Amino acid sequence: MNYTVVLPAAGSGKRMKADKNKLLLELFGKPIFLYTLEVFERDPNCEAIWLAVKEHERELIEEYVKRYDITKVKGYAAGGTERQDSVRACLEAIPPCGVVLVHDAARPFIDHEVIARLVEAAQESGAAVAGVPVKDTIKKVENGVISETVDRNQLWMIQTPQAFRYSLILKAAQAAHNDGFMGTDEAMLVERMDYPVAIIESTYENIKMTTPDDLIYGRAILESRIQEEQK
Ligand SMILES: Nc1ccn([C@@H]2O[C@H](COP(=O)(O)OP(=O)(O)OP(=O)(O)O)[C@@H](O)[C@H]2O)c(=O)n1
Ligand SMILES: C[C@](O)(CO)[C@H](O)COP(=O)(O)O
């Protein structure tokens, strides 16, 4: 099943504490977001890539897209104040399609096998997200004191990609905007419509490059993949 991918790439990267958009920081000489773009460029089921970018970064990003020969980038939308706004801008810009994936440009280590299972699940049920089971004990804290230990057997760390039937996620994104509802992922916008969202087990390598320590983990992931390829 073919799909279109929307990549929100218009954030400020505050938690990365860098002097520029964290997506432009390089791992082994290549900007983070190019690793993400290359995953979808190399996926035969990906028909089109759309990016939400800050206007003042668009020309630079277009130059990178050209230099790295990312041929599937079909368009750009102006990023918004919040991630949700950036995603909605892309959803409203892309031509109608069957299945659309929303994936953080800040998650460069997603793999094709997870994407394929996600797209298939979204084709069948209309909505599916990637995630991994929680590994740590999770507790609620109130006023600096533990108030509850949560049963982690039912807890997952939700990632992107998040895959949807296009008509469903467009309706959900526009309804949330009209209602002034702000979620932290697209699944929330569908959940609030009482629509079931499937979970697809992803990998723990699919980290979001958020804080400076993630650069360390990212380099280690790339090094392990290079060693694997050399075997
Ligand atoms: N207004 C925004 C905010 C975020 N993003 C994108 O959404 C993804 C996930 O967001 P996050 O990791 O939170 O990025 P930032 O918002 O840049 O990080 P921070 O919260 O540390 O500023 C990133 O690829 C980011 O570029 C976006 O397109 N538009
Ligand atoms: C969408 C997401 O990546 C799922 O885990 C996450 O909610 C994004 O959060 P952020 O604070 O906008 O990075």
Side-chain angles (χ1 to χ4, degrees):
M1 173 73 184
N2 293 337
Y3 64 88
T4 291
V5 62
V6 162
L7 298 177
S12 304
K14 300 184 192 70
R15 289 169 285 179
M16 188 57 81
K17 298 182 171 59
D19 57 1
K20 59 182 177 182
N21 183 334
K22 66 182 180 182
L23 301 179
L24 301 174
L25 296 176
E26 296 185 353
L27 296 174
F28 299 113
K30 184 189 301 185
I32 287 170
F33 84 104
L34 265 303
Y35 287 95
T36 312
L37 280 173
E38 287 179 338
V39 171
F40 293 101
E41 179 72 15
R42 294 168 182 164
D43 185 347
N45 296 320
C46 180
E47 286 183 319
I49 301 169
W50 284 72
L51 288 140
V53 299
K54 289 182 185 291
E55 282 303 321
H56 71 273
E57 294 176 342
R58 175 162 174 173
E59 193 173 329
L60 176 62
I61 288 174
E62 286 181 328
E63 285 172 14
Y64 273 120
V65 165
K66 187 174 181 182
R67 186 187 315 168
Y68 282 82
D69 199 23
I70 309 294
T71 62
K72 292 185 181 179
V73 171
K74 303 302 182 191
Y76 298 84
T81 308
E82 301 296 334
R83 180 186 173 281
Q84 184 175 310
D85 301 317
S86 298
V87 171
R88 179 170 52 83
C90 268
L91 291 172
E92 291 176 343
I94 68 178
C97 57
V99 171
V100 62
L101 256 62
V102 179
H103 183 61
D104 299 323
R107 290 184 187 267
F109 305 120
I110 185 60
D111 70 41
H112 291 139
E113 191 274 332
V114 172
I115 292 170
R117 283 190 286 122
L118 204 60
V119 171
E120 183 181 357
Q123 186 187 6
E124 286 172 10
S125 67
V129 300
V132 289
V134 164
K135 292 194 275 189
D136 298 323
T137 294
I138 304 293
K139 297 180 185 289
K140 284 187 179 178
V141 176
E142 294 173 17
N143 303 318
V145 176
I146 290 169
S147 58
E148 180 187 354
T149 297
V150 185
D151 175 8
R152 73 178 181 198
N153 292 321
Q154 296 180 327
L155 293 183
W156 286 63
M157 294 191 296
I158 301 305
Q159 307 169 341
T160 66
Q162 301 195 356
F164 307 91
R165 190 176 300 124
Y166 174 68
S167 57
L168 172 64
I169 189 59
L170 180 64
K171 179 182 175 186
Q174 292 177 332
H177 175 66
N178 295 337
D179 298 345
F181 177 84
M182 192 60 69
T184 55
D185 71 352
E186 279 60 53
M188 286 177 74
L189 313 186
V190 172
E191 292 162 39
R192 70 189 287 266
M193 295 168 62
D194 294 328
Y195 193 98
V197 179
I199 180 85
I200 297 297
E201 187 157 359
S202 176
T203 69
Y204 289 100
E205 284 191 2
N206 184 27
I207 62 173
K208 182 164 61 70
M209 307 302 281
T210 307
T211 50
D213 54 307
D214 293 322
L215 298 171
I216 301 167
Y217 309 145
R219 290 189 192 98
I221 290 168
L222 287 171
E223 283 174 345
S224 70
R225 290 184 176 183
I226 291 166
Q227 289 166 9
E228 195 63 30
E229 287 167 7
Q230 289 170 349
K231 282 180 182 175

